[in-house]
Amino acid sequence: MRDQAPSSAPQASHPHALPGQSIDYQLFLDCVHCGLCTAACPTYCELGNENDSPRGRIYLMRGVADGRIELNDQVLHHLDLCLDCRACETACPSGVQYGRLIEPFRAELAERAPAKERSDWFRRWILFGLFPYRERMRKALFPARIAQRLGLMKFAAVTGLLRLLPQRLQRLVAMLPSPLVHEPPLPERLPAKGKQRARVALFTGCVADAMFRSTHWATARVLQENGCEVLVPPGQTCCGAIHLHAGASEPARQLADQNAAAFPLDEVDAVIVNVAGCGAMLKEYDHCFPMADANHAARAALSAKVRDVHEFLLELGPVAPRGAIHRNVTYHDACHLAHAQKVVDAPRALLSMIPGLSLRELPESLLCCGAAGTYNLTEPEMSDRLARRKLDNIEATGATTVVTANAGCLLQIMREARGRNAKLDVVHPMDLLDQSYQAG
Amino acid sequence: MSLLPLTKTNTSDDEADVCAAIAEASAARTPVYAIGGGTSLSFGCLPSEAGLGVRTTSLAKLIDYPARDMTITVQAGMTYAELSRLLAQENQRLPIDPPQAEQATIGGILATNTSGPRRYGCGTLRDYLIGLSAVDGRGTLFHAGGRVVKNVAGYDFCRLLIGSLGSLAVVTQATIKVIPIPERSLMLACALRSANEMETMLADLVASPIMPSAVQVLCGKSVQKVFADRWGDVRAVLAVGLEGTQAEVEWMRTSLESRWGQKRLAIERVENERGEAVWRHLSEFPAADDPALVLKAVLMPSRVADFCDLVHSLAPEAELLADGRGHVFVKFLAPLDDAAGLLIRHLHPAAIQLGGRLAVVHNAEPQGWTRQMIWGGRTEADDFVDAIRRQFDPHNILNPGRWG
Amino acid sequence: MNSRTVSSKLISDLVAIVGADRVLSARSELAVYECDGFVIEKNSPDVAVFPRTTAEVAAIVHLCNEHSVPFVPRGAGTSLAGGCLPVGGGVMIVLTQMKQIVEINLRDRYAVVEPGVVNVWLTQALRGSGYHYAPDPSSQGACTIGGNVATNSGGPHTLKYGVTVNHVLGFEAVMADGRTVQFGGPTAESFGPDLVGGLVGSEGTLAIVTKVWVRLTRDPQGYRTMLGVFDSVEDATQSISEIVGAGIIPAALEMMDQGIVVALEEAFQFGFPLDAAAVLLIEVDGLEAGLDAQRDAIVDICTRCGAREVRQAADDAQRAKLWKCRKQAFGAVGRLSPSYCTQDGVVPRTKLPHILRRITEIGAKHEVRIVNVFHAGDGNLHPIVLFDERDAAQVRRVLAASNEILEECIAAGGSVTGEHGIGVEKIDLMKKLFTPDDLEVMGRFRAAFNPQGNLSPGKMLPTAGACGMEQIHPGRQAAM
Ligand code: SF4
Ligand code: SF4
């Protein structure tokens, strides 16, 4: 019948007979099937198939949980294709919490996956081997960096040598920014400039620290310029988002606990995050790990203190940067900033404070670029389509610089720009702000 | 009226009469010709089959006028002039401006889709008609739409019947959405020197923030009649109607005068009594001076100037009234005799090439005119017009032959 | 209720036309297509197909005719009346891959779009051009222009700018027999019966639109947006009447009653007094030169009619804020009650006080809570009935109340739908709105286009063999 899960469902070894049955059924019921979210969804915009739309996916998940729809390859594919960008949450007038449906559903699917699949080289080496450990990651990237410096990458790309790498690794290599500048690690404490207005802790994560250490430096300097004392607690680690989304909720929780312990919450006004994806994850520790274990309160306390850097600066009242930057720039909304954290205006407001900067509105700015965590590795075809669409839109603005606040987006857009030989700078808002402060 | 092959004429004063007359005619397979004010009887092909005239001029009652709802319901035989008088009492209007407003009925305007100079800014009857009652070719009274301004229940017969020339049903009653009479209305006119300039000026208006209610270009001898005392011998005049609140009209006037001033054009501000006279002249154009032949073309707005140029190159004596929305009336005061056929055969394809269509809307000497000459070629959409007619009028008794 | 009416031969023929990746025939993938925004009636299509060209649509329709199976077009599936329900199964022709904006011609003020173009995409494409496409139904972020044409969509700006039909110049369509025909085109009008007008709003029962010529409207130079807070519904409706009587046609005139105001306050803290009986959102637009005078007149009228307060938006940000409270109204209602359903009735504007009183009485009689947010300028009501779907007795009372409200609209000289359409939801109400003769003529009209009745069967007209379904659940609530 309608509106309730069927009481009798087939039995299986898993605590719930069917995937999705652990999900609070009310979350499904929140969706009134109005379809107002469809055109906000990147995969639906590309494919026009409602099974690849939020409404469709909710229907599929609920149908599977009800035992009404068979969990076959097609259904799995439609769910796999979801970017978890949560544009649908922004669009939904009924307040459907899509992330709280797809994330646990996927986690359950992953847990049910046959052991063979779970232990493929990609998961073992890249996901669990590298992502949590920034030094390992930096080292892993090191040869690539040298290769890039020497122009070998280009050589490899031209000669087709790159194609010899396993496909997913090949994509990872293609995403590397060039050239990677080697910067020293951030110290544990940086003093405020001028009158101190706040004391904050900076979250540096894993991927981002490995690939964008310069942006962390920029962020720290911008915070200093704004009168913030910046702490960089050494015990922190990967936020765990990639693991959680890959269905590894237990390792993810361990990372969360480690982070919760690492930050001296009583000593700081806020924990500042400059990478949208990490920020969204940290803010949601509470409902991602609802288990009432000993560390629950600590995780919740951390979540409560987490602020996106743009959001924080705007609330603090930013000190106007004075150095002029004469550039045409456009801003791309990172999904995990705009949709997951609802931070849309703040980065624009900060950028428009930079003298000389011409900020042009990007068409379809709220549509995912296809990076979406490891999506560009797992669903390369859709990821590429969305990257092309994003770059077409960027090029249409005539901007020479695109600004975005997420590591994945930066890499994705850079890769696509490189692929089509577009002269495009891809930077984080903090990079530009820092430049303006330093020049002013 | 003598244009129609009538055996007798009924003057009905209620709907039931109309139904009965048509039902009877249907049974006897007698053609029925609905007649309102009789101002457009030569629109399209001329029927030849003898039949019954159904005059609607007595079906002219006001049914309901809730002025605050900005709607009015009247019987279809009410004249436009009478309707306008009623509306004016509440400071409202229906901005359609048909020629011969004292005779033209609402039913007739509907059947012929007549519109006037304000179509540029205010649209045509299709933008105002919200409900109707009509009698189909079997004598069945039916209704469509309603009396509310927003309504999507059922098929939209209101619009379907617009322009149907009484060949689908005889309209007996109409509910119309009306709008307030603007605070102020004036017209700016300027002389044009070439077709090129005409398109430049029209395009400039479209690109400007000015929102005129009328954009008309008068070419030919009638220009002399209306504007000669100002500018002497000009070939064409662009007249732009500006309506709205005092402040709006003032702003549009200044802004247009300065746009035109930069082009060093002679400008006339037409207002008050003279304004009335000019508006009237433009509205009456298609019917004024007892013309021999009137054609109406509907084109892409950007092609209107080209079309006027073409007509004048073929027939310099043609009087033209073009419109920024894409309408062109081509009027000949003296019969063209043999040249008519030649001209019309040339103009139909030209109109199609310019993105539109052409039809004969008045013809004093219709003998020998074929369907092709009057309406131009058939399109696939016409098959569906036929299909609808077979449904609404299975015995083909409503205004038969009008479409040729 | 689904029994397969299509053969595997039909499916393989469809695949031959569009390719396997654009045909869905697995049950699991068809499930989402079993209903649209109206979730009471469900029926899965037997196959869904995604054409990209008019020629493909035509080939699909020919095929359906050869196989004598029903077929129904679908756009974004946001109909609230079951307009996309595949009654009798068959082939669903999903037009979402026909999504090109083919041409924008500013000089002649039209654009040509394919049916799957989302309404707001056209707005976005026109941004900065000085023109826009005027019809902006509240679902404009998702609904397609093809769907707008099929349902003659409205929105909050219809009072001044009209509905979809006022902005459609022509279209190309594949007819029920598979022929491709163009009606109208880039010119403003043509000769003969207005088939464009007759086909707009025909809810997909006469033709499948494959390309649309829409009129573009000049952007207004400016806006003035006001929000009037009233102590009584009568004062608010009186103000509306006076504003219109003063010769002002606002671009939007929206009203929210006390129930909505309370919900909005709970949710967003706009700072409205909780005892305000009604809030009016009024916007005038047009030439900058005329706006201040119109605003002053409106403020004056509202104050004279007893408004407690009239707020004015000083800039775009404030304007956005005032609109936000209107746009969030439905979302806020979700906080009042686990489920709600929205109706779509119309009355003459002057009957608003009467109908609102009756709605209150009807709510009291059936013991259900009803709040109102609506397009007051057009008299288009959207009463929202709150309930708990787990309570079967309450659900029955909700249905009874909804029906009574619509009957009251008919009695007041109005209609049972201003913008959602008849679809399958209101098919039985057609009999109350129209005489048997009216419906018979409508049936004949349909027969002129769709003589076999296999294009969108079971929609709009009660005579066309639709199963006279008995409603057991109110509209617009949780799916399934
Ligand atoms: S997720 Fe929200 S917007 Fe999408 S169909 Fe469900 S209720 Fe509607
Ligand atoms: S999360 Fe993104 S990709 Fe997934 S359904 Fe929502 S909008 Fe679509």
Side-chain angles (χ1 to χ4, degrees), chain A residues 196 198-201 229 231 233 259-271 297-298 300-306:
Chain A
Q196 176 157 346
R199 172 192 273 172
V200 301
E229 180 187 351
L231 309 182
N259 277 323
F263 285 91
L265 296 179
D266 296 339
E267 293 167 33
V268 296
D269 300 306
V271 174
L302 172 60
S303 289
K305 273 263 158 95
V306 170

Side-chain angles (χ1 to χ4, degrees), chain B residues 68-69 126-127 138 143 150-152 155 159 162-163 199 206 299 301-302 355 380 383 391 403, chain C residues 107-108 131 165-166 179-180 187 192 194 205 215 218 221 349-350 375 380 415 417 419 438 440 444:
Chain B
R68 285 297 165 92
D69 288 332
R126 120 197 250 272
D127 299 307
R138 301 165 303 160
H143 315 83
K150 202 166 168 193
N151 185 2
V152 292
Y155 292 119
R159 293 185 177 86
I162 288 179
E199 169 51 17
V206 170
L299 309 162
S302 60
E380 284 222 282
D383 294 352
Q391 293 291 340
W403 300 106
Chain C
R107 164 62 186 98
D108 290 315
Y131 285 86
V165 71
N166 304 106
R179 259 194 291 173
T180 303
T187 59
D194 183 357
T205 61
R215 182 195 304 284
R218 179 120 218 131
Q221 266 181 343
R349 188 169 37 233
T350 48
H375 311 308
N380 188 183
S415 170
T417 173
E419 43 191 19
D438 301 346
E440 196 257 357
R444 287 173 163 266

Side-chain angles (χ1 to χ4, degrees), chain A residues 347-379:
Chain A
R348 291 177 168 83
L350 292 177
L351 287 172
S352 55
M353 290 174 71
I354 298 175
L357 204 74
S358 150
L359 184 62
R360 302 176 176 190
E361 202 44 46
L362 174 65
E364 300 190 331
S365 170
L366 290 164
L367 209 64
C368 182
C369 62
T374 53
Y375 189 87
N376 45 20
L377 307 177
T378 55
E379 292 291 342

Side-chain angles (χ1 to χ4, degrees), chain A residues 64-119:
Chain A
V64 169
D66 287 352
R68 213 170 69 94
I69 293 175
E70 181 205 350
L71 185 63
N72 55 23
D73 284 352
Q74 287 129 334
V75 171
L76 276 173
H77 180 66
H78 295 305
L79 297 177
D80 281 346
L81 217 50
C82 172
L83 296 139
D84 197 11
C85 68
R86 291 160 70 180
C88 43
E89 291 190 7
T90 303
C92 174
S94 302
V96 167
Q97 295 165 280
Y98 179 83
R100 295 183 63 182
L101 292 168
I102 190 80
E103 286 165 18
F105 197 92
R106 278 184 166 170
E108 273 194 54
L109 286 182
E111 279 159 24
R112 285 157 194 269
K116 180 180 133 281
E117 227 171 80
R118 264 193 275 169
S119 64

Side-chain angles (χ1 to χ4, degrees), chain C residues 113-400:
Chain C
V113 300
E114 291 186 338
V117 169
V118 171
N119 181 298
V120 81
W121 293 351
L122 183 56
T123 306
Q124 282 160 1
L126 287 164
R127 192 166 288 152
S129 72
Y131 285 86
H132 67 285
Y133 175 58
D136 59 342
S138 22
S139 56
Q140 75 170 146
C143 62
T144 62
I145 293 191
N148 295 166
V149 170
T151 54
N152 193 13
S153 304
H157 291 98
T158 58
L159 176 60
K160 180 168 176 182
Y161 292 101
V163 290
T164 299
V165 71
N166 304 106
H167 300 272
V168 172
L169 296 167
F171 47 79
E172 173 195 86
V174 172
M175 310 307 290
D177 62 3
R179 259 194 291 173
T180 303
V181 182
Q182 183 178 330
F183 299 94
T187 59
E189 63 188 64
S190 195
F191 299 100
D194 183 357
L195 291 185
V196 172
L199 286 163
V200 171
S202 57
E203 300 194 22
T205 61
L206 305 181
I208 299 175
V209 170
T210 51
K211 203 199 272 179
V212 193
W213 281 261
V214 297
R215 182 195 304 284
L216 302 179
T217 304
R218 179 120 218 131
D219 290 347
Q221 266 181 343
Y223 308 88
R224 296 292 181 278
T225 311
M226 287 140 280
L227 196 106
V229 180
F230 292 85
D231 287 330
S232 80
V233 170
E234 272 76 9
D235 290 348
T237 46
Q238 184 62 29
S239 303
I240 296 171
S241 204
E242 295 290 322
I243 291 167
V244 171
I248 299 171
I249 303 185
L253 194 37
E254 304 280 300
M255 184 164 153
M256 289 157 280
D257 75 358
Q258 186 177 12
I260 289 282
V261 169
V262 169
L264 280 169
E265 260 327 286
E266 277 173 25
F268 305 108
Q269 292 88 40
F270 284 104
F272 296 135
L274 291 181
D275 57 340
V279 167
L280 277 186
L281 177 69
I282 310 161
E283 183 164 279
V284 287
D285 69 8
L287 295 173
E288 207 34 80
L291 292 177
D292 282 341
Q294 289 185 43
R295 177 199 57 204
D296 294 347
I298 289 170
V299 172
D300 191 51
I301 289 169
C302 290
T303 314
R304 254 191 299 119
C305 291
R308 187 190 292 188
E309 170 194 4
V310 185
R311 294 183 193 178
Q312 298 171 40
D315 54 30
D316 278 357
Q318 286 186 18
R319 173 175 177 242
K321 192 154 175 236
L322 293 187
W323 270 104
K324 186 174 168 206
C325 78
R326 164 66 181 89
K327 291 190 174 149
Q328 303 280 7
F330 281 95
V333 168
R335 301 173 194 242
L336 291 181
S337 136
S339 318
Y340 61 91
C341 70
T342 308
Q343 261 313 336
D344 173 38
V346 196
V347 296
R349 188 169 37 233
T350 48
K351 298 275 170 57
L352 281 176
H354 163 77
I355 196 81
L356 290 174
R357 243 188 335 267
R358 285 295 297 133
I359 290 174
T360 312
E361 287 164 16
I362 291 167
K365 175 173 145 198
H366 294 281
E367 296 170 51
V368 288
R369 183 162 170 207
I370 305 177
V371 297
N372 291 285
V373 48
F374 52 92
H375 311 308
D378 308 316
N380 188 183
L381 306 156
H382 292 307
I384 303 170
V385 190
L386 310 178
F387 64 102
D388 185 337
E389 65 198 323
R390 288 163 292 199
D391 178 346
Q394 206 181 77
V395 167
R396 271 191 300 277
R397 296 202 303 275
V398 168
L399 280 173

Side-chain angles (χ1 to χ4, degrees), chain B residues 194-200 202 299-311 320 322 328 354, chain C residues 107:
Chain B
S194 68
N196 246 346
E197 186 169 55
M198 175 170 166
E199 169 51 17
T200 314
L202 293 177
L299 309 162
M300 302 238 282
S302 60
R303 313 311 294 275
V304 159
D306 288 348
F307 183 78
C308 292
D309 210 30
L310 174 72
V311 173
L320 295 175
V328 184
L354 298 175
Chain C
R107 164 62 186 98

